[in-house]
């Protein structure tokens, strides 16, 4: 296997793109792809103040590294969810993010759920569902709210996350099987800003998980390899495994599935980005001021009200 650009020994063969590259050309190629996708989906510009949500995992750290290398103005934010029992998952993630920021001299903001809101994710889950339910959905809601609030307070133009193609295709498969039109409308790589909501973008939406892992390893970026202990048997992992089987049989399946979905959105099959639609979300939460359509406290503040 030889590099398509220089003929040297290739380190990666991407069957889905019919492309093999050596380390040097791969490390050049990935940022070029990301820049192309940022422009294609009009995610943000070089003038924007960008908040990168970093979890300590390979995708968000690779993304931060790439955006910084491309010359974007970035600051990182890490939410310490307090998922530490047994394996110190949050603690180790925080240490990984902190050392990445320090080594690259990048600004990082730390938000500690316990200190800021008085409870960790496992504690919230224990209180609200007596620990009977997997905390992932409450955790997702908390992360979205906390990131949005932090970006509003800091006047950021956009929040970016490290969601990759495997994440997006798995979510898309799950939502398609459920015909969940509400969620299907939110899968675009960028959701525009609306009063009370910061713009959100996923610059890795077309980057395979394997490609992002290879980038992190070749760049020698230290990342946390363990998954959140609550996600071990999640639905998303199940769908990812199925998509991987299809991808093995027919390289490019994940990308085709996702790109055809984006085309369908472009053709107006679903209303795009409902989450940020002002007709639906026209009232403010009396506690935190973020938009809500409940007529009372927003979903985040309701979690703490039932204490
Ligand atoms: P996940 O939902 O864990 O697959 O994460 C998807 C993306 O959300 C990551 O790539 C990060 O950009 C962001 N993210 C996840 N967890 C955190 C966290 N604890 N703090 C900040 N950002 C996070
Ligand atoms: Fe939130 Fe796993 S990261 S429950
Ligand atoms: Zn080469
Ligand atoms: Zn609220």
């Amino acid at each position: 296997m030889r590099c398509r650009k220089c003929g040297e020994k290739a380190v990666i063969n991407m069957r889905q793109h019919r492309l093999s590259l050596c380390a040097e050309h791969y490390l050049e190629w990935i940022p070029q792809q990301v820049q192309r996708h940022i422009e294609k989906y009009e995610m943000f510009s070089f003038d924007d103040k960008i908040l990168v949500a970093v979890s300590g995992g390979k995708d968000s750290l690779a993304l931060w590294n790439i955006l910084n290398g491309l010359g974007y103005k970035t600051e990182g934010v890490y939410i310490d969810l307090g998922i530490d029992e047994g394996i110190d998952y949050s603690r180790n993630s925080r240490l990984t993010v902190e050392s990445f920021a320090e080594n690259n001299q990048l600004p990082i903001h730390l938000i500690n759920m316990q200190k800021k809101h008085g409870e960790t994710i496992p504690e919230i889950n224990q209180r609200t569902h007596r620990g009977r339910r997997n905390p992932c959905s409450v955790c997702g809601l908390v992360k979205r709210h906390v990131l949005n609030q932090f970006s509003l307070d800091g006047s950021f133009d956009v929040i970016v996350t490290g969601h990759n193609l495997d994440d997006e295709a798995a979510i898309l498969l799950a939502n398609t099987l459920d015909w969940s039109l509400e969620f299907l409308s939110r899968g675009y790589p960028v959701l525009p800003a609306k009063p009370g909501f910061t713009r959100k973008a996923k610059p890795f939406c077309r980057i395979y998980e394997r490609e992002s892992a290879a980038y992190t390893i070749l760049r020698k970026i230290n990342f946390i390899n363990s998954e959140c202990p609550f996600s071990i048997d999640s639905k998303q992992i199940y769908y990812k495994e199925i998509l991987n089987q299809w991808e093995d049989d027919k390289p490019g399946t994940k990308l085709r599935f996702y790109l055809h979905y984006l085309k369908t959105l472009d053709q107006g099959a679903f209303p795009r980005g409902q989450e940020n639609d002002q007709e639906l979300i026209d009232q403010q939460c009396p506690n935190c001021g973020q938009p809500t359509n409940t007529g009372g406290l927003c979903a985040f503040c309701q979690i703490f009200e039932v204490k």
Side-chain angles (χ1 to χ4, degrees), residues 170-208:
I171 294 166
L172 178 58
L173 180 56
N175 290 333
T176 307
L177 290 174
D178 289 343
W179 279 116
S180 166
L181 294 188
E182 192 196 339
F183 289 106
L184 282 170
S185 71
R186 293 185 199 162
Y188 210 70
V190 57
L191 292 173
K194 288 279 157 77
F197 283 120
T198 303
R199 189 186 338 147
K200 296 185 189 98
K202 299 172 184 171
F204 267 17
C205 62
R206 288 174 59 169
I207 303 292
Y208 278 73

Side-chain angles (χ1 to χ4, degrees), residues 174-246:
N175 290 333
T176 307
L177 290 174
D178 289 343
W179 279 116
S180 166
L181 294 188
E182 192 196 339
F183 289 106
L184 282 170
S185 71
R186 293 185 199 162
Y188 210 70
V190 57
L191 292 173
K194 288 279 157 77
F197 283 120
T198 303
R199 189 186 338 147
K200 296 185 189 98
K202 299 172 184 171
F204 267 17
C205 62
R206 288 174 59 169
I207 303 292
Y208 278 73
E209 197 163 296
R210 176 172 172 265
E211 295 168 2
S212 135
Y215 181 87
T216 336
I217 292 164
L218 291 170
R219 268 264 170 267
K220 299 191 171 59
I221 296 171
N222 186 24
F223 62 94
I224 171 139
N225 211 355
S226 46
E227 294 281 340
C228 161
F230 297 116
S231 73
I232 300 300
D233 53 10
S234 75
K235 227 165 78 172
Q236 209 191 338
I237 291 184
Y238 173 74
Y239 290 123
K240 277 187 177 176
E241 282 167 3
I242 290 174
L243 283 161
N244 281 338
Q245 284 175 28
W246 291 345

Side-chain angles (χ1 to χ4, degrees), residues 145 285 287-288 298 301:
H145 181 98
C285 167
N287 189 42
C288 71
C298 72
C301 292

Side-chain angles (χ1 to χ4, degrees), residues 69-293:
L70 288 168
Y72 287 102
K73 285 191 281 187
T74 60
E75 294 180 30
V77 61
Y78 171 75
I79 308 170
D80 190 329
L81 303 161
I83 303 174
D84 282 323
E85 219 172 296
I87 62 155
D88 278 357
Y89 172 72
S90 292
R91 189 172 169 277
N92 290 335
S93 307
R94 176 175 57 76
L95 293 174
T96 308
V97 167
E98 278 179 321
S99 81
F100 177 89
E102 199 183 317
N103 293 341
N104 293 279
Q105 295 179 314
L106 288 166
I108 179 72
H109 305 275
L110 301 174
I111 304 171
N112 184 304
M113 278 303 292
Q114 174 73 52
K115 286 189 191 141
K116 185 137 183 49
H117 295 285
E119 274 178 319
T120 63
I121 291 293
E123 283 167 357
I124 294 173
N125 193 50
Q126 187 62 32
R127 178 171 56 75
T128 53
H129 295 107
R130 297 207 195 95
R132 278 195 296 253
R133 255 173 57 179
N134 188 309
C136 292
S137 62
V138 84
C139 177
L141 187 154
V142 163
K143 282 193 279 201
R144 274 195 302 279
H145 181 98
V146 169
L147 284 176
N148 193 52
Q149 191 61 55
F150 187 81
S151 67
L152 292 171
D153 294 344
S155 306
F156 285 90
D157 295 299
V158 59
I159 303 169
V160 303
T161 53
H163 291 95
N164 59 38
L165 176 66
D166 294 50
D167 296 326
E168 295 306 286
I171 294 166
L172 178 58
L173 180 56
N175 290 333
T176 307
L177 290 174
D178 289 343
W179 279 116
S180 166
L181 294 188
E182 192 196 339
F183 289 106
L184 282 170
S185 71
R186 293 185 199 162
Y188 210 70
V190 57
L191 292 173
K194 288 279 157 77
F197 283 120
T198 303
R199 189 186 338 147
K200 296 185 189 98
K202 299 172 184 171
F204 267 17
C205 62
R206 288 174 59 169
I207 303 292
Y208 278 73
E209 197 163 296
R210 176 172 172 265
E211 295 168 2
S212 135
Y215 181 87
T216 336
I217 292 164
L218 291 170
R219 268 264 170 267
K220 299 191 171 59
I221 296 171
N222 186 24
F223 62 94
I224 171 139
N225 211 355
S226 46
E227 294 281 340
C228 161
F230 297 116
S231 73
I232 300 300
D233 53 10
S234 75
K235 227 165 78 172
Q236 209 191 338
I237 291 184
Y238 173 74
Y239 290 123
K240 277 187 177 176
E241 282 167 3
I242 290 174
L243 283 161
N244 281 338
Q245 284 175 28
W246 291 345
E247 183 77 27
D248 273 351
D249 292 343
K250 285 202 180 340
T253 300
K254 285 180 217 176
L255 188 58
R256 231 173 11 253
F257 182 43
Y258 184 61
L259 291 184
H260 282 232
Y261 158 72
L262 294 186
K263 204 161 133 198
T264 317
L265 277 180
D266 281 338
Q267 289 166 346
F270 315 106
R272 241 163 55 180
Q274 247 180 27
E275 184 188 19
N276 286 2
D277 268 359
Q278 211 47 38
E279 306 82 80
L280 289 162
I281 301 170
D282 53 3
Q283 299 174 62
Q284 284 190 329
C285 167
N287 189 42
C288 71
Q290 284 201 29
T292 170
N293 57 359

